[in-house]
Amino acid sequence: MSGQPPRKSRLEVEEIGDVTVVNFVDKKILDEQNIAIIGEQLFELVDVENKKKILLNFGNVDYLSSAALGKLITLNKKANTSGGKLVLCNIKPEIKEVFEITKLDKFFKIKEDEQAGLQSF
């Protein structure tokens, strides 16, 4: 045995039609280790599972670090490169402000809620 505890998934993934909906388990995405795991798990959706339509639901997220934003930018590029599409939804005003300040609100497709997100594909 390696002694490594199994990595707890930081994401809840469900398929709605042909869209992969991802909910974040953590309210605060600040810890570097968690961000690395979240990044890995998100990239796997595109790189390994070949998902083309990914909707990230931030309904549960209260805080997001800039390192987490970096992972989202990489994920968006991966999705676009593979002919897929990434949409974000349910972003709280405090977090949305960060997207606006950094001009990432222009880079990402952001919808109010999950329903609008699903309809945007």
Side-chain angles (χ1 to χ4, degrees), residues 66-120:
S66 56
L69 288 177
K71 296 289 184 197
L72 296 178
I73 291 167
T74 304
L75 179 67
N76 196 42
K77 286 180 182 160
K78 282 179 178 286
N80 290 340
T81 303
S82 71
K85 187 172 171 187
L86 177 69
V87 178
L88 316 183
C89 71
N90 271 339
I91 299 179
K92 294 194 166 112
E94 312 78 63
I95 296 175
K96 199 165 192 175
E97 201 177 304
V98 175
F99 279 89
E100 287 162 1
I101 291 167
T102 55
K103 301 276 187 267
L104 288 173
D105 59 325
K106 306 282 182 271
F107 181 77
F108 290 109
K109 190 173 198 82
I110 300 175
K111 296 294 178 184
E112 279 307 302
D113 55 38
E114 190 170 291
Q115 200 52 49
L118 287 168
Q119 288 167 354
S120 70

Side-chain angles (χ1 to χ4, degrees), residues 5-59:
R7 284 184 326 164
K8 182 175 182 287
S9 180
R10 314 294 339 149
L11 309 173
E12 287 171 3
V13 179
E14 83 180 291
E15 302 293 329
I16 298 181
D18 60 350
V19 179
T20 303
V21 179
V22 178
N23 287 289
F24 295 89
V25 174
D26 304 289
K27 286 199 172 302
K28 298 178 172 133
I29 304 177
L30 303 169
D31 174 85
E32 251 179 73
Q33 193 179 359
N34 275 355
I35 291 167
I37 292 170
I38 287 169
E40 235 172 76
Q41 292 173 348
L42 286 172
F43 300 161
E44 266 176 30
L45 291 174
V46 177
D47 296 339
V48 180
E49 297 178 36
N50 206 22
K51 302 293 183 193
K52 296 288 183 216
K53 299 176 180 178
I54 300 175
L55 178 62
L56 299 182
N57 188 332
F58 285 85

